[in-house]
Amino acid sequence: MKLKESEFTTIRDKIYQYCGINLHEGKQALVRSRVLKRIRKLGMSNFAQYINYLEKDGTGNEFLALVDVLTTNKTSFFREDQHFEFIRKEVIPQINGRNVKWWSAGCSTGEEPVTCSMVLQEEGVPPGKVKILATDLSREVLQIGKRGVYTAKKVADIPPKVRKKYFQRISENQFQVSGEIRKMITYGRLNLKKKWPMNGPFHIIMCRNVMIYFNRETQQKLVSRFRDMLKPGGYLFIGHSESVSSENKGLKNVCPAVYKKI
């Protein structure tokens, strides 16, 4: 089933206008394969029919389903472990004993906020002192995060002592995050391009490997908004393949892909 250039452009523009994700020309094959999942599920015969259905769907549910299939949700526990070493050595000594607001923006299936919770627990931070807000655009990944159930393959890279302490085996191939860890995390759906309803300021904001899907202009606007939501002295964590422009004043690079609000 061929995806015409005009059809690709229509889908690309709709997604960009909605959430800022930049599906450039090199993403045509990805868009085709992922939208085909929706076309087959709906029993349709081509992309034109699907786009017509999408535009006439007054509920907006199909558009949200399209967003779910087009968003990339690659993640893992302790991903980019240097950040968690920085948290252990630099962040926790500064926040321990205080009431802390922490935001995992683009949390995907929950591995990042769960890792943060485990690190905080392991370093002796009282569970009730830190509240972690975990947000993502995709409804599907948020449901996985809320449930807190992961395959044996997913949890294999967690140190055995930590895994035994914070996960319970519920079947031969499934492990569930402990209730104590899950209580620290609140999951919610958020479009980073739209208005943010939550109250700041935050001590920590982590938005790692999310901005790579945005164009430069959208990236820098997002960084400015994150800076404004940070407490003075708070930290912004981004992905190692991402960067903060020198035009964004008020953020000082203190570690690879870690910035402090000054």
Side-chain angles (χ1 to χ4, degrees):
M1 194 182 298
K2 186 178 180 182
L3 173 65
K4 296 178 182 177
E5 183 69 32
S6 59
E7 294 165 343
F8 169 72
T9 300
T10 296
I11 294 170
R12 180 191 65 192
D13 290 351
K14 286 181 182 296
I15 292 295
Y16 178 77
Q17 288 163 14
Y18 177 68
C19 61
I21 291 176
N22 183 27
L23 296 168
H24 52 76
E25 290 297 326
K27 298 289 185 180
Q28 245 177 306
L30 179 144
V31 170
R32 178 187 175 277
S33 65
R34 294 192 180 182
V35 177
L36 267 175
K37 294 177 183 178
R38 295 302 307 160
I39 290 175
R40 286 167 179 155
K41 186 168 185 177
L42 294 167
M44 295 179 179
S45 56
N46 55 56
F47 286 93
Q49 186 181 3
Y50 176 75
I51 290 170
N52 183 57
Y53 174 77
L54 187 70
E55 292 176 338
K56 290 184 177 179
D57 177 27
T59 68
N61 289 333
E62 183 53 37
F63 185 76
L64 294 180
L66 175 65
V67 170
D68 281 346
V69 298
L70 286 178
T71 46
T72 301
N73 298 293
K74 181 182 177 182
T75 187
S76 61
F77 292 104
F78 293 95
R79 186 181 186 185
E80 298 182 349
D81 192 46
Q82 307 96 312
H83 280 166
F84 297 103
E85 278 301 307
F86 183 85
I87 288 169
R88 291 184 188 99
K89 293 177 181 178
E90 301 293 335
V91 177
I92 289 177
Q94 296 178 39
I95 65 172
N96 212 348
R98 300 162 62 189
N99 290 318
V100 173
K101 296 180 73 173
W102 196 297
W103 180 15
S104 171
C107 66
S108 188
T109 44
E111 285 88 337
E112 179 178 275
V114 169
T115 302
C116 293
S117 300
M118 292 190 295
V119 169
L120 290 163
Q121 292 271 311
E122 287 295 285
E123 296 299 315
V125 177
K129 286 290 186 181
V130 180
K131 299 294 184 185
I132 299 177
L133 172 64
T135 65
D136 202 278
L137 182 64
S138 170
R139 301 168 302 171
E140 291 185 3
V141 299
L142 287 170
Q143 288 305 313
I144 295 171
K146 288 176 183 178
R147 188 167 174 240
V149 175
Y150 301 93
T151 63
K153 183 178 180 181
K154 273 279 188 181
V155 303
D157 292 334
I158 300 173
K161 287 184 179 180
V162 175
R163 184 173 66 238
K164 186 176 180 181
K165 190 173 180 180
Y166 299 112
F167 285 82
Q168 177 184 2
R169 185 189 285 272
I170 59 173
S171 72
E172 184 177 346
N173 189 46
Q174 290 186 315
F175 291 77
Q176 185 165 37
V177 182
S178 71
E180 187 177 35
I181 291 294
R182 281 185 285 146
K183 283 178 184 175
M184 294 176 67
I185 307 167
T186 300
Y187 288 93
R189 186 174 182 276
L190 182 70
N191 183 343
L192 288 172
K193 189 179 179 182
K194 308 294 184 182
K195 184 179 179 181
W196 298 347
M198 63 281 196
N199 295 319
F202 291 89
H203 296 79
I204 310 293
I205 297 177
M206 303 182 80
C207 186
R208 305 185 306 157
N209 307 298
V210 174
M211 293 191 293
I212 53 174
Y213 301 106
F214 301 144
N215 62 27
R216 188 70 175 169
E217 180 185 2
T218 304
Q219 289 175 13
Q220 296 315 313
K221 284 181 179 177
L222 191 55
V223 169
S224 296
R225 294 177 75 190
F226 283 142
R227 180 199 61 216
D228 294 342
M229 287 290 277
L230 277 173
K231 288 180 71 73
Y235 293 95
L236 171 65
F237 291 75
I238 63 175
H240 281 86
S241 61
E242 299 166 330
S243 62
V244 170
S245 168
S246 58
E247 297 171 9
N248 269 303
K249 307 297 182 184
L251 290 170
K252 178 184 178 183
N253 185 216
V254 293
C255 182
V258 181
Y259 294 81
K260 186 173 186 177
K261 182 172 180 176
I262 54 176

